[in-house]
Amino acid sequence: MPLAKRIIPCLDVTGGCVVKGINFLNLKNAGDPVELAKRYSDAGADELVFLDITASSDNRETLRDIVEGVARAINIPFTVGGGIRSPADARLILCSGADKVSVNTAAVQNPELITKLADLFGQQCVVVAIDAKRNRKVDKDKVTVQTAEGPVWFEVYTYGGRKPTGIDALQWATRAMELGAGEFLLTSMDCDGTENGFDLELTRALSERVNVPVIASGGAGKPEHFLEAFTKGKADAALAASVFHYNKYPVSVIKDYLRKQGVTIRP
Amino acid sequence: MPQVLIIDYGVGNLLSLKVALEKTGLTAKITPPTKQLKQADAIALPGVGNFTAAAKALEPVKEALVDTVKGGTPLLGICLGLQLFFQDSEEGPGEGLAFFKGNDMRIKGDVKVPHMGWNSLSMVKKTELFDGVADGSYVYFVHSLYPEPADKQVVCTQTEYSVTFTSAVADKNIYGTQFHPEKSGDVGLRILQNFAKIVAR
């Protein structure tokens, strides 16, 4: 049997609570992180991702307590991201019981951070998160992807999707991989929160470009979307939040569906 | 309660292993490499770090560690911990503990590296460590190298990823897994419970 495709619930955390926004806005309280982590782990999640969306330095202690609480409560891998700007930030998270850290804005601003983290903690610990949005202004210096709606390139946004950078997401990923990224967490800002499905054209373009695992994120609304992320998007893992939080589709229902469709899934 | 010493030779997440071992009823203590191994009822070599750095960190205590294990203290090596059971590694220079002849090879071929995620075990040899674990069970892997034992008698399970590689070994009191039992859900917990039973004997 080949490597199983992973289903990853994501928990956006702020001030000790899990929240989930629509298109990165309008936050709504969805519960206690440790309790939710345990519930997802019991339900068959293959891995979890926690994103500290406030990520201010004054709540590092709160985050550390959450990470440690989660590490004690579950026995599946989990990643923590949000506000990690230095090896010291990463060490605090990893030594509190997380398996991987994800970096986004800080890595775009200071790409050497990726190499530093990989050298210190191992490449497998370093997830590079990319928030990407379609840009229809064709630019010969960017990687043009032919999509159903015409040619586009994918632009990297930082600061939780607030700031366009002018950087091409696919070119950035290639560079980040060379610097030591062990995995990519790729979020489509166009699809995030819509529940209309992942950006398959974006996901596939990245998966075919890098030889480390790619986690597709943004837009999952029903089991078929996960199937497409693996078959058409060629993703190694698929991440979602609201579809799990409000128990619309429990993890087990999605996994059963995928198994019946012939996808290799951990029971 | 029997105590297992987790030897810390890297920087990273050792809390998960400590917590998982404690769930089996063992007490677990994280310690830098030490010659004071008499207090230990068992030793764990965890899976976080790099071969060269770990071999260097273990160098000053290598003799005491090897003697203690050869004296019968149960040993569990996880991921890099298992890779250290062999003589050398393609990851970099340094001498392993050489409990077994063989070396650690890089994963090659048309696959993504690291091999990261859930993959299945094919049982090739019966061992107490896998009591109650079904053939084909899924466990969690994160690695770029795998061990290649010269003596195939020590191989307990194999896993496929580009090649068929050794994913667990057992020989007398020495046990090693290429996957992370502390991250492998209920299957992993069962494996650690089996190890705790071996330690309690």
Side-chain angles (χ1 to χ4, degrees):
Chain A
M1 292 296 277
L3 188 61
K5 299 291 187 185
R6 288 171 279 155
I7 300 298
I8 307 179
C10 176
L11 299 93
D12 287 351
V13 177
T14 186
C17 280
V18 174
V19 290
K20 177 63 195 171
I22 308 291
N23 289 329
F24 285 73
L25 295 168
N26 302 322
L27 303 175
K28 188 154 102 173
N29 194 349
D32 172 58
V34 176
E35 193 185 301
L36 271 170
K38 180 83 176 85
R39 200 194 300 165
Y40 287 140
S41 169
D42 291 345
D46 296 309
E47 199 167 322
L48 298 175
V49 169
F50 289 84
L51 293 178
D52 178 12
I53 56 169
T54 37
S56 67
S57 52
D58 54 342
N59 70 3
R60 292 277 106 183
E61 295 297 308
T62 316
L63 182 64
R64 190 181 65 183
D65 290 346
I66 292 173
V67 172
E68 195 175 324
V70 171
R72 291 184 182 283
I74 64 171
N75 52 11
I76 57 170
F78 69 101
T79 301
V80 176
I84 292 169
R85 312 198 65 84
S86 67
D89 291 340
R91 177 175 285 126
L92 181 74
I93 298 298
L94 293 170
C95 291
S96 304
D99 300 285
K100 308 179 220 178
V101 289
S102 91
V103 287
N104 189 336
T105 304
V108 173
Q109 291 170 343
N110 172 23
E112 289 71 35
L113 176 64
I114 298 171
T115 309
K116 277 189 202 156
L117 295 177
D119 287 348
L120 278 168
F121 308 112
Q123 185 199 2
Q124 78 289 340
C125 283
V126 187
V127 181
V128 172
I130 301 176
D131 294 336
K133 194 172 163 110
R134 291 174 175 228
N135 189 320
R136 288 169 188 82
K137 277 189 208 128
V138 174
D139 180 335
K140 65 173 172 48
D141 293 330
K142 312 295 189 207
V143 181
T144 303
V145 177
Q146 297 300 331
T147 69
E149 55 168 20
V152 303
W153 63 279
F154 293 96
E155 183 171 9
V156 173
Y157 277 62
T158 52
Y159 293 98
R162 289 191 293 273
K163 193 176 169 229
T165 62
I167 296 169
D168 181 292
L170 299 172
Q171 291 169 347
W172 164 231
T174 305
R175 176 151 184 239
M177 191 180 71
E178 286 162 5
L179 291 169
E183 188 167 43
F184 288 100
L185 167 50
L186 177 65
T187 301
S188 159
M189 292 181 55
D190 301 290
C191 298
D192 192 65
T194 63
E195 303 195 0
N196 289 328
F198 296 96
D199 188 331
L200 302 174
E201 288 153 331
L202 168 64
T203 306
R204 186 180 185 117
L206 182 67
S207 287
E208 287 179 342
R209 216 178 152 88
V210 296
N211 59 9
V212 297
V214 173
I215 306 170
S217 156
K222 53 182 184 178
E224 290 81 354
H225 294 153
F226 290 85
L227 177 65
E228 288 171 352
F230 299 135
T231 54
K232 295 182 186 157
K234 297 195 169 182
D236 300 281
L239 175 145
S242 48
V243 68
F244 299 130
H245 292 343
Y246 304 113
N247 243 348
K248 202 166 149 196
Y249 290 102
V251 174
S252 57
V253 169
I254 289 171
K255 290 181 92 170
D256 285 345
Y257 169 80
L258 291 169
R259 196 175 302 111
K260 283 185 190 130
Q261 298 296 318
V263 179
T264 304
I265 289 290
R266 176 179 75 111
Chain B
M1 272 190 294
Q3 187 182 62
V4 51
L5 283 186
I6 302 171
I7 311 290
D8 180 5
Y9 39 64
V11 181
N13 174 19
L14 298 181
L15 181 71
S16 300
L17 179 59
K18 182 179 186 317
V19 169
L21 286 167
E22 286 175 347
K23 280 181 187 158
T24 71
L26 296 168
T27 48
K29 187 176 154 191
I30 298 171
T31 169
T34 174
K35 292 179 189 173
Q36 307 301 314
L37 296 164
K38 296 268 185 295
Q39 49 174 323
D41 299 296
I43 297 166
L45 297 178
V48 177
N50 157 290
F51 185 89
T52 302
K56 198 174 163 198
L58 289 177
E59 180 60 39
V61 306
K62 187 174 167 183
E63 202 181 318
L65 180 60
V66 170
D67 287 351
T68 304
V69 173
K70 290 198 168 155
T73 303
L75 173 68
L76 178 63
I78 295 169
C79 196
L80 173 63
L82 161 66
Q83 293 170 12
L84 288 164
F85 289 3
F86 297 86
Q87 292 162 298
D88 44 47
S89 172
E90 288 185 358
E91 188 170 22
E95 281 178 27
L97 299 169
F99 292 120
F100 305 128
K101 287 205 170 81
N103 60 344
D104 304 315
M105 318 273 285
R106 283 196 183 279
I107 299 171
K108 294 175 196 82
D110 187 24
V111 289
K112 293 185 175 185
V113 178
H115 172 218
M116 188 188 295
W118 298 82
N119 207 330
S120 57
L121 300 174
S122 302
M123 304 286 172
V124 297
K125 181 177 93 171
K126 210 169 146 51
T127 162
E128 273 183 281
L129 192 67
F130 289 93
D131 268 357
V133 177
D135 191 35
S137 290
Y138 277 83
V139 290
Y140 190 78
F141 289 87
V142 186
H143 63 123
S144 303
L145 296 105
Y146 60 89
E148 183 77 20
D151 176 7
K152 304 298 174 207
Q153 297 297 315
V154 303
V155 178
C156 298
T157 69
Q158 292 178 324
T159 297
E160 273 185 59
Y161 191 68
S162 173
V163 293
T164 300
F165 69 89
T166 298
S167 47
V169 302
D171 184 45
K172 301 188 207 78
N173 56 320
I174 303 176
Y175 301 90
T177 64
Q178 182 54 64
F179 55 91
H180 288 262
E182 78 280 17
K183 287 287 161 186
S184 295
D186 292 342
V187 171
L189 182 61
R190 178 66 193 239
I191 291 166
L192 294 176
Q193 283 168 339
N194 290 338
F195 183 69
K197 269 189 213 160
I198 294 165
V199 175
R201 264 206 317 256

